[in-house]
Amino acid sequence: GESVGLHLPTLSVQEGDNSIINCAYSNSASDYFIWYKQESGKGPQFIIDIRSNMDKRQGQRVTVLLNKTVKHLSLQIAATQPGDSAVYFCAENNAGNMLTFGGGTRLMVKP
Amino acid sequence: DAGVIQSPRHEVTEMGQEVTLRCKPISGHNSLFWYRQTMMRGLELLIYFNNNVPIDDSGMPEDRFSAKMPNASFSTLKIQPSEPRDSAVYFCASWLAGGLGTQYFGPGTRLLVL
């Protein structure tokens, strides 16, 4: 099920390598950021989040880095696996309960 | 918890017909969001509710679209009349506003208007 744009940036990595997906956000007042993973035919799934008072947060095999100076967010996936193949979206919270989503990056893992 | 539940999962209809999409949020969540995802425009917020009250509907494309949330456990998104350009995947998401965590998405309804 195709669910993302034709011109989606694509990152292709070898299984076992580390992946880094980048995102530039727009609003310097945003105080909460989330990374979502969307597999084909499914809804976006929460991966990890970070608040603006932090610059790094680690989960299981994933790390999010936040650079507020340049309004940049990155998602690092360690030891990438075929099951990590999906589209990854960053989102920022800058107005109450509302999230603004980035355009997404497609991650392809080669076996 | 079953997560956010949406129905139907797939809908094929003809132009001019009424379409109703349904959503059951996660129990205890007090904010509900309707999104549309297309290849051309990505993920767009249509409307969101807080405590069953519509807060921001600026993303609703036009008067053919309407959304209701009669109680905390149910919401509908209606398109009347439907047009081919409404073809998209429609997601519902819910959130406990003011709490920890984020929006949790349902599996989506894939709509095709012929």
Side-chain angles (χ1 to χ4, degrees):
Chain A
E2 191 63 48
S3 61
V4 293
L6 289 172
H7 301 292
L8 212 60
T10 298
L11 174 66
S12 185
V13 300
Q14 202 69 39
E15 181 179 357
D17 287 352
N18 296 333
S19 303
I20 300 176
I21 300 171
N22 296 303
C23 175
Y25 64 92
S26 57
N27 191 333
S28 57
S30 294
D31 59 0
Y32 178 56
F33 305 87
I34 309 107
W35 279 100
Y36 284 92
K37 172 187 180 183
Q38 187 175 23
E39 296 174 278
S40 181
K42 297 183 179 179
Q45 178 185 11
F46 171 84
I47 301 174
I48 191 169
D49 59 2
I50 188 168
R51 298 206 173 267
S52 58
N53 59 354
M54 303 172 68
D55 53 22
K56 180 178 180 180
R57 190 166 188 218
Q58 288 185 292
Q60 187 177 18
R61 281 201 309 119
V62 294
T63 300
V64 56
L65 298 178
L66 175 62
N67 185 330
K68 295 182 287 294
T69 303
V70 294
K71 294 189 286 186
H72 183 266
L73 197 65
S74 68
L75 177 70
Q76 300 178 2
I77 304 173
T80 313
Q81 302 169 1
D84 296 326
S85 294
V87 176
Y88 290 81
F89 293 94
C90 66
E92 59 181 304
N93 180 306
N94 52 28
N97 298 336
M98 294 169 61
L99 296 178
T100 300
F101 284 83
T105 296
R106 185 183 303 278
L107 176 65
M108 297 179 63
V109 182
K110 296 176 288 186
Chain B
D1 197 320
V4 176
I5 299 172
Q6 291 188 246
S7 65
R9 292 294 311 276
H10 298 88
E11 177 82 22
V12 180
T13 190
E14 292 186 343
M15 182 174 62
Q17 297 298 306
E18 177 180 293
V19 174
T20 300
L21 312 181
R22 297 172 176 80
C23 175
K24 176 178 168 53
I26 292 173
S27 177
H29 283 192
N30 56 5
S31 291
L32 183 141
F33 306 79
W34 282 102
Y35 290 89
R36 177 173 68 178
Q37 188 174 44
T38 62
M39 294 174 68
M40 295 304 297
R41 302 172 70 94
L43 198 59
E44 303 174 278
L45 177 66
L46 300 177
I47 185 171
Y48 93 89
F49 296 83
N50 197 37
N51 294 321
N52 312 338
V53 176
I55 302 300
D56 189 326
D57 64 354
S58 58
M60 296 285 264
E62 48 196 275
D63 291 345
R64 297 185 297 108
F65 286 68
S66 63
K68 294 182 179 180
M69 192 165 186
N71 57 63
S73 59
F74 184 67
S75 177
T76 60
L77 177 67
K78 186 175 293 186
I79 309 172
Q80 167 63 20
S82 58
E83 297 182 2
R85 60 194 169 116
D86 301 329
S87 298
V89 182
Y90 291 81
F91 289 105
C92 176
S94 71
W95 190 359
L96 178 58
L100 298 177
T102 185
Q103 295 181 23
Y104 293 89
F105 283 75
T109 295
R110 189 173 297 272
L111 174 66
L112 178 61
V113 183
L114 301 174

